Amino acid sequence: MTDMDGRTIDVAFGGHKVPVLAGGYYDRFRSNPDLDAIARDPAAGNIDFFRRIPKQKIASRIGPVWAPNFYYRSSSVQLLMSAPVSRLKAILPDPLEPLRACPGYGLVALTFFSYAVCDNDPYDEASIAIVIRRPGACGPHALELAAAIRRRSFHAHVLALPVTTEIARVRGVECYQLPKWLAGITVTIGAEVRAATQAPDGTPDLTLRAPAPDFVDVPSQSHMGANTMIHQIDGRWHRTTVRSNTLSFAQRMLPRDVTLSRHGGPMSDLLGGLGVARPLRLDVVRDAQLVLNMPEPFTMPGSG
């Protein structure tokens, strides 16, 4: 790969001019990469997983775009917390329903992502999402939750999704109508796990700290998952699937040594409004490959 010194150029995307890294992946490939060229980049690692997933030009709100989006190297820190079902129902659009972890309580996921190598160039992201029942599901919540855990496949409704680059923000807002804004975000996975977000004015919002867990390294494509976002685009229900090929990860149940500090900002206020309680699970992914599909319209069961 060409060495990059942080210089940017403006490119047209979705009716906007957005800065991207000069000589970066988006500058060179416009989301339709030459995988042989990517394979020669030491930072990308082994990319065989992506070779069996064809890119296609797909219609979107802003015209044809290449999809799915590839994330060749990523890491993440997720804290899964309980919250009163009454608070979650109050904020979820009808007919979405929180998936109950126990009587009266649902699940809220706070996740920090770092995308080191991807089609849109490096950026970081944070997310607050409510874990929901799969549309059309019936039967006991406990069985659905157990099945989701076993399959590593959850459905969620995203409430907040700040990012660190303008192209990530514009793509998320214009193509997916997701609640994205620009904010400072950092994710560090080393001797200690640290993650933080800033408010739009640059003041601290959320900080998370935890001792580094013991990681498990697994062969490629042996620890796959697929999570689905359920959201509306132009008033119509859509689902967006993210497939994951996890390579190095750790998980701890009922962690007692995780410190989550709220400093006052949109993410802090949102967590406060949801009434999040104790952490139930800490997931740290040191290395994973992701495939982000474009939203697909669907008919919500029971909508007519």
Side-chain angles (χ1 to χ4, degrees):
M1 290 292 295
T2 303
D3 288 336
M4 292 177 287
D5 58 7
R7 291 183 303 109
T8 63
I9 61 168
D10 288 339
V11 299
F13 187 88
H16 300 262
K17 281 192 173 181
V18 297
V20 299
L21 283 174
Y25 278 14
Y26 193 83
D27 182 18
R28 296 175 63 193
F29 304 120
R30 295 300 197 272
S31 295
N32 186 29
D34 175 357
L35 290 182
D36 289 335
I38 302 294
R40 291 191 291 271
D41 180 3
N46 186 306
I47 64 162
D48 291 346
F49 169 65
F50 299 97
R51 292 189 182 277
R52 60 186 182 88
I53 305 171
K55 288 254 191 179
Q56 301 178 23
K57 238 179 185 179
I58 297 177
S60 78
R61 300 177 70 248
I62 59 172
V65 296
W66 286 103
N69 229 38
F70 291 164
Y71 296 78
Y72 308 97
R73 299 297 290 269
S74 74
S75 56
S76 63
V77 180
Q78 182 178 88
L79 194 61
L80 191 65
M81 297 169 284
S82 62
V85 165
S86 59
R87 297 279 191 99
L88 304 184
K89 281 186 172 181
I91 199 169
L92 280 174
D94 195 48
L96 300 184
E97 182 181 0
L99 182 59
R100 292 181 178 88
C102 59
Y105 284 86
L107 298 169
V108 173
L110 168 66
T111 314
F112 301 87
F113 300 93
S114 183
Y115 307 118
V117 185
C118 71
D119 287 342
N120 289 347
D121 300 321
Y123 70 98
D124 294 333
E125 183 174 54
S127 167
I128 295 175
I130 298 173
V131 180
I132 62 172
R133 297 208 78 177
R134 178 175 52 84
C138 57
H141 285 244
L143 292 180
E144 184 178 349
L145 178 58
I149 293 172
R150 184 176 66 253
R151 297 169 183 163
R152 294 185 288 275
S153 178
F154 292 87
H155 286 68
H157 181 71
V158 176
L159 303 177
L161 207 62
V163 293
T164 56
T165 65
E166 182 67 0
I167 190 167
R169 186 196 69 81
V170 170
R171 183 180 175 95
V173 171
E174 298 295 342
C175 292
Y176 300 79
Q177 282 195 346
L178 289 170
K180 290 199 173 190
W181 66 88
L182 285 178
I185 301 168
T186 57
V187 183
T188 304
I189 300 174
E192 186 178 48
V193 175
R194 298 185 180 186
T197 64
Q198 295 178 345
D201 63 3
T203 58
D205 191 342
L206 289 174
T207 57
L208 182 149
R209 296 180 64 178
D214 295 327
F215 288 94
V216 176
D217 298 336
V218 295
S220 179
Q221 302 183 56
S222 68
H223 197 83
M224 305 283 287
N227 293 323
T228 303
M229 295 184 290
I230 303 295
H231 54 118
Q232 289 184 318
I233 299 178
D234 295 328
R236 185 177 180 186
W237 286 107
H238 286 69
R239 55 191 168 205
T240 301
T241 301
V242 183
R243 299 168 60 190
S244 58
N245 175 31
T246 302
L247 305 171
S248 181
F249 67 97
Q251 183 182 100
R252 293 173 52 210
M253 301 298 294
L254 300 176
R256 295 181 177 274
D257 48 7
V258 176
T259 301
L260 178 64
S261 302
R262 305 177 207 171
H263 306 284
M267 301 286 274
S268 296
D269 292 345
L270 181 54
L271 288 181
L274 293 172
V276 295
R278 65 177 303 180
L280 301 177
R281 196 174 81 183
L282 174 69
D283 288 272
V284 183
V285 174
R286 188 164 56 182
D287 192 11
Q289 298 175 324
L290 306 176
V291 175
L292 172 62
N293 291 286
M294 287 294 291
E296 296 181 345
F298 77 104
T299 300
M300 184 70 73
S303 61

